[in-house]
């Protein structure tokens, strides 16, 4: 697994999950992360949002299939779709693309690292070795695709929370 970011000294660390339309994968990651942060007692230390590289669904809630799958696991998806904008590079500490195409789209418009706050990474960097490089888009498939996305997102978010807990513990001394 690659090196992971550390919590900065400011009170709130900000994470943005990004997929294509912001109605399936990224709001699922946002909801799972919020749930795990609450369980870990970090909900006041980490802010989480999601966005899409496309603007087709702006203002819409997450896909009903994603919402249903998450609800069966006790996770609420409550966001509204927003489109990724250039300001996000300065508003967030960590931007996680759900697949390689989203990552390429973000990198194509990103200012150089020295000129932005955000570190831009691929979500799968937080998955164990052997995991797929992309969180697959379940939009055109059936319910099993949404369950698969949840499986991957839960594993990745757990690794992110574990890392944040370690960084927070180290920061507090």
């Amino acid at each position: 697994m690659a090196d992971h970011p550390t919590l900065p000294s400011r009170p709130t660390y900000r994470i943005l999950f990004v997929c294509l339309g912001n109605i399936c994968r990224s709001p699922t990651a946002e909801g799972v992360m919020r749930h795990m942060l609450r369980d870990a007692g970090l909900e006041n230390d980490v802010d989480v949002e999601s966005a899409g590289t496309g603007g087709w669904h702006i203002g819409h809630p997450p896909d009903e299939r994603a919402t249903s799958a998450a609800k069966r696991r006790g996770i609420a998806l409550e966001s509204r779709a927003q489109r990724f904008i250039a300001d996000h590079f300065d508003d967030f500490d960590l931007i996680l693309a759900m697949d390689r195409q989203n990552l390429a789209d973000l990198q194509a418009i990103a200012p150089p690292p020295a000129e932005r706050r955000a570190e831009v990474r691929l979500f799968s960097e937080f998955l164990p070795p052997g995991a797929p490089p992309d969180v697959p888009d379940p939009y055109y498939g059936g319910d099993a695709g949404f369950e698969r996305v949840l499986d991957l997102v839960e594993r990745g978010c757990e690794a992110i929370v574990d890392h944040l807990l370690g960084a927070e513990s180290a920061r507090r001394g």
Side-chain angles (χ1 to χ4, degrees):
M1 201 175 319
D3 290 335
H4 297 297
T6 57
L7 282 174
S9 59
R10 62 182 153 271
T12 302
Y13 187 76
R14 300 195 72 213
I15 300 172
L16 181 70
F17 296 99
V18 179
C19 69
L20 185 60
N22 193 214
I23 60 167
C24 296
R25 297 171 291 170
S26 58
T28 296
E30 178 184 351
V32 167
M33 182 59 83
R34 285 182 189 279
H35 181 84
M36 289 184 175
L37 290 169
R38 220 175 357 263
D39 287 351
L42 290 174
E43 68 272 14
N44 295 321
D45 300 314
V46 182
D47 182 41
V48 181
E49 290 185 35
S50 62
T53 56
W56 312 279
H57 303 290
I58 293 173
H60 294 178
D63 186 288
E64 289 181 14
R65 298 165 294 174
T67 302
S68 294
K71 187 176 183 177
R72 285 191 293 275
R73 297 186 191 197
I75 298 166
L77 305 186
E78 301 172 333
S79 63
R80 293 285 177 169
Q82 65 173 323
R83 186 168 190 179
F84 185 89
I85 58 172
D87 288 350
H88 287 141
F89 290 116
D90 288 324
D91 293 341
F92 290 88
D93 297 289
L94 179 62
I95 297 173
L96 293 171
M98 301 309 285
D99 65 40
R100 290 170 290 179
Q101 183 59 57
N102 297 137
L103 180 63
D105 292 343
L106 293 171
Q107 289 172 332
I109 63 170
E115 297 175 20
R116 66 178 191 241
R117 172 178 166 186
E119 182 178 2
V120 181
R121 309 271 294 271
L122 192 59
F123 179 84
S124 63
E125 291 178 36
F126 290 91
L127 292 172
D134 297 329
V135 176
D137 189 344
Y139 187 75
Y140 292 106
D143 290 343
F146 289 89
E147 294 295 335
R148 175 75 175 133
V149 165
L150 270 164
D151 291 342
L152 291 169
V153 164
E154 285 180 334
R155 287 169 51 199
C157 286
E158 185 177 303
I160 295 166
V161 169
D162 286 348
H163 176 74
L164 293 173
L165 281 170
E168 180 67 9
S169 178
R171 187 174 72 153
R172 291 184 182 177

